[in-house]
């Protein structure tokens, strides 16, 4: 039979050694114990549904957790007080508020996993704020004139495609831009199939994007320049160590402009802002692969 509620409440007040002794008799379910470092390693290995870029973000938070709390600390012994101290630890490292909240969101996800694995009865991060805040000061609207200056300053046709696909196609860069194949472009029906690792876990591994007029000439020129047998639209800038942000910042300066915050996201944000002025938001978010709430909070800008 289930343990009576009064007994359950009492069990939460006793010390760990007594609770474990009672669990050993079989009167209550024995607590599973796992060290934090061991649990995180096993949990992340089990999440084969997550994209590699997501796993990278999770591993960064895992590093912060084990550095602050200790890899050998037992999962069930981590308290809400420890969670609060972890937030202060991140603050002390000089991280921005949204970066702190992103780390807290990952920690909350990890301990929800620990609850499902019956390693802890509660999530110590449950009361921590994890929703990122919109930062209007980091928005920049990149005009058609400035975009043209970027295209003219680009060192080659592949960089022109990287800029064009992000600014006029609304693709995520680098993930969606680097995955785009020439076979994904339907010239006859004037549309592009975009493969999206970011939304793959939610059953939206791809989406349809119009072959916008601003993209047609860029893609047509790129197709003529591509070598025979090239599968990907962007074939040159694909290595893991390739830092496209550094390259774009260099192009921006060469164009006589000042690099803006969130280099590629603001190109995408500009496109979504433009499209919403003409098309319903549910259509635009379908093209760009986000939701209306995310668009309104993190993408749509108030233009001049």
């Amino acid at each position: 039979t289930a343990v009576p509620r009064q007994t359950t409440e009492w069990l939460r007040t006793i010390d760990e050694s007594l609770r474990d002794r009672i669990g050993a008799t079989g009167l209550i379910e024995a607590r599973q114990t796992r060290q934090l470092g061991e649990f995180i390693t096993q949990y992340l290995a089990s999440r084969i549904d997550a994209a590699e870029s997501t796993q990278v973000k999770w591993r960064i938070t895992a590093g912060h957790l084990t550095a602050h709390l200790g890899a050998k600390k037992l999962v069930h012994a981590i308290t809400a007080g420890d969670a609060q101290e972890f937030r202060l630890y991140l603050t002390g490292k000089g991280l921005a508020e949204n970066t702190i909240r992103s780390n807290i969101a990952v920690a909350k996800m990890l301990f929800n996993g620990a609850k499902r694995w019956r390693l802890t009865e509660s999530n110590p991060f449950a009361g921590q704020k994890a929703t990122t805040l919109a930062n209007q000061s980091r928005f920049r609207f990149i005009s058609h004139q400035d975009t043209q200056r970027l295209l003219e300053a680009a060192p080659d046709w592949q960089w022109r495609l990287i800029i064009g696909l992000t600014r006029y196609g609304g693709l995520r860069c680098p993930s969606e831009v680097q995955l785009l194949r020439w076979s994904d472009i339907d010239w006859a029906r004037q549309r592009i199939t975009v493969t999206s690792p970011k939304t793959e876990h939610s059953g939206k591994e791809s989406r349809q994007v119009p072959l916008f007029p601003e993209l047609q000439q860029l893609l047509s020129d790129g197709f003529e320049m591509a070598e025979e047998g090239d599968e990907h639209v962007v074939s040159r800038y694909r290595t893991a160590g390739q830092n496209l942000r550094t390259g774009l910042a260099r192009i921006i300066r060469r164009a006589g402009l000042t690099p803006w915050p969130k280099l590629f996201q603001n190109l995408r944000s500009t496109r979504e802002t433009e499209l919403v002025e003409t098309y319903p938001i549910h259509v635009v978010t379908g093209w760009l692969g986000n939701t209306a709430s995310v668009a309104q909070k993190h993408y749509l800008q108030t233009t001049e």
Side-chain angles (χ1 to χ4, degrees):
T1 61
V3 177
R5 181 176 178 180
Q6 184 177 2
T7 306
T8 301
E9 293 298 324
W10 172 76
L11 288 169
R12 290 174 179 169
T13 67
I14 64 178
D15 63 69
E16 294 179 10
S17 61
L18 178 55
R19 190 191 189 288
D20 290 340
R21 286 169 62 192
I22 298 173
T25 69
L27 290 171
I28 60 173
E29 185 175 358
R31 190 209 313 268
Q32 297 188 54
T33 59
R34 202 78 54 89
Q35 293 179 346
L36 178 62
E38 179 188 15
F39 159 68
I40 290 177
T41 299
Q42 293 174 346
Y43 181 78
L44 295 186
S46 74
R47 291 297 303 272
I48 59 175
D49 59 313
E52 176 58 27
S53 58
T54 302
Q55 286 271 0
V56 168
K57 184 174 75 171
W58 291 352
R59 287 196 290 269
I60 290 172
T61 301
H64 287 314
L65 281 168
T66 54
H68 176 64
L69 297 174
K72 294 185 177 181
K73 190 175 182 71
L74 295 178
V75 172
H76 72 263
I78 296 172
T79 66
D82 292 325
Q84 179 61 31
E85 289 180 5
F86 178 67
R87 175 181 283 276
L88 295 175
Y89 164 79
L90 296 177
T91 302
K93 293 181 73 67
L95 300 182
E97 177 62 23
N98 271 348
T99 304
I100 293 172
R101 289 181 178 228
S102 294
N103 277 278
I104 294 296
V106 175
K108 190 176 292 189
M109 178 273 297
L110 289 171
F111 278 86
N112 280 335
K115 281 183 66 177
R116 290 192 295 272
W117 285 17
R118 298 181 181 274
L119 299 178
T120 183
E121 294 181 356
S122 61
N123 187 332
F125 288 88
Q128 293 286 330
K129 294 179 180 178
T131 304
T132 55
L133 304 171
N135 189 347
Q136 299 287 334
S137 67
R138 292 176 64 79
F139 279 172
R140 293 292 187 279
F141 188 88
I142 316 303
S143 68
H144 289 282
Q145 292 83 357
D146 286 347
T147 303
Q148 186 58 37
R149 292 170 68 175
L150 295 179
L151 294 173
E152 292 171 358
D156 54 39
W157 64 270
Q158 293 211 352
W159 255 113
R160 287 194 290 275
L161 281 177
I162 292 171
I163 294 168
L165 288 167
T166 309
R167 170 61 178 84
Y168 292 127
L171 273 67
R172 294 180 177 91
C173 189
S175 60
E176 295 175 353
V177 170
Q178 290 182 335
L179 287 175
L180 188 66
R181 294 173 166 81
W182 290 113
S183 58
D184 294 328
I185 302 172
D186 189 335
W187 304 94
R189 299 176 67 202
Q190 296 285 286
R191 65 188 62 187
I192 304 170
T193 299
V194 177
T195 301
S196 179
K198 185 176 180 66
T199 58
E200 184 179 12
H201 68 282
S202 59
K204 299 176 181 178
E205 64 278 359
S206 66
R207 65 182 188 275
Q208 296 284 307
V209 177
L211 182 52
F212 294 108
E214 300 94 334
L215 278 176
Q216 289 182 2
Q217 193 60 52
L218 284 171
L219 285 168
S220 179
D221 291 345
F223 187 72
E224 292 297 323
M225 296 288 291
E227 296 183 11
E228 186 175 352
D230 276 352
E231 179 183 8
H232 291 92
V233 173
V234 176
S235 58
R236 187 172 302 162
Y237 304 101
R238 304 184 51 79
T239 60
Q242 187 79 49
N243 191 331
L244 294 183
R245 289 182 178 84
T246 301
L248 180 56
R250 189 179 300 117
I251 293 170
I252 293 171
R253 294 188 184 93
R254 188 181 300 144
L257 303 172
T258 301
W260 50 82
K262 301 188 294 186
L263 296 179
F264 284 109
Q265 185 173 331
N266 269 311
L267 292 175
R268 231 168 86 85
S269 167
T270 298
R271 188 52 168 169
E272 189 154 25
T273 300
E274 285 178 342
L275 292 174
V276 165
E277 294 176 357
T278 306
Y279 303 97
I281 191 169
H282 73 280
V283 173
V284 176
T285 54
W287 288 341
L288 269 73
N290 54 18
T291 64
S293 60
V294 169
Q296 290 169 343
K297 185 175 181 181
H298 297 288
Y299 283 84
L300 299 184
Q301 304 183 36
T302 300
T303 64
E304 290 294 332

